[in-house]
Amino acid sequence: DGNFAMSGFDKTLDTTLAGAGVGAAYGAVVAAWKAKPMVAERTAPLLLDTAGVIARHAGILAGSAAAFQITKSTVVAMRGEEDAVANGMGGCAAAALAMFRAGAPAALGGCLVVGTAAALVPRVKEEMMGSKH
């Protein structure tokens, strides 16, 4: 029905924005860690470099979060159930996108590791909550 499409869009938007926020925070830590000494006449290039580091990390994690949610929503729509398979496929897509620049072996390894971890989330959640939820 029409509500599923809107609900899927809302979930994707929320997940993407959360990924961007986490990526920006991580990018800020990375930028601070590799900070160069400030020189009075050269402040602008250093600020632009810092902003670039933050934006790159925010973009990568936002894209991965969007890939996760879009893939998961598609699998749920096709199979009719939200389960470990949907989470695993979403995790695989997110990791493959994040590791794409590192090459195919890294993308495949990331897919396997993150996909497996994401597939385990419903099981761990079930164990912690004490019932199927």
Side-chain angles (χ1 to χ4, degrees):
D1 60 60
N3 282 344
F4 181 80
M6 188 60 170
S7 173
F9 176 77
D10 287 343
K11 285 181 180 179
T12 301
L13 184 60
D14 288 347
T15 304
T16 303
L17 291 175
V22 170
Y26 177 68
V29 170
V30 170
W33 190 265
K34 69 172 206 157
K36 300 169 186 95
M38 295 284 253
V39 179
E41 293 85 35
R42 304 204 58 222
T43 301
L46 295 174
L47 289 175
L48 288 174
D49 181 54
T50 299
V53 169
I54 293 170
R56 274 191 299 280
H57 285 88
I60 289 169
L61 285 177
S64 291
F68 172 84
Q69 191 60 51
I70 289 168
T71 303
K72 180 180 174 181
S73 294
T74 302
V75 171
V76 168
M78 291 173 61
R79 296 183 67 241
E81 57 184 295
E82 188 170 341
D83 60 358
V85 173
N87 281 345
M89 296 294 283
C92 179
L97 181 64
M99 301 299 289
F100 178 74
R101 290 183 64 196
L108 179 62
C111 172
L112 292 172
V113 170
V114 177
T116 301
L120 293 174
V121 167
R123 176 72 177 172
V124 171
K125 188 176 177 182
E126 178 183 319
E127 291 293 325
M128 291 179 73
M129 301 298 253
S131 65
K132 274 200 169 216
H133 201 277

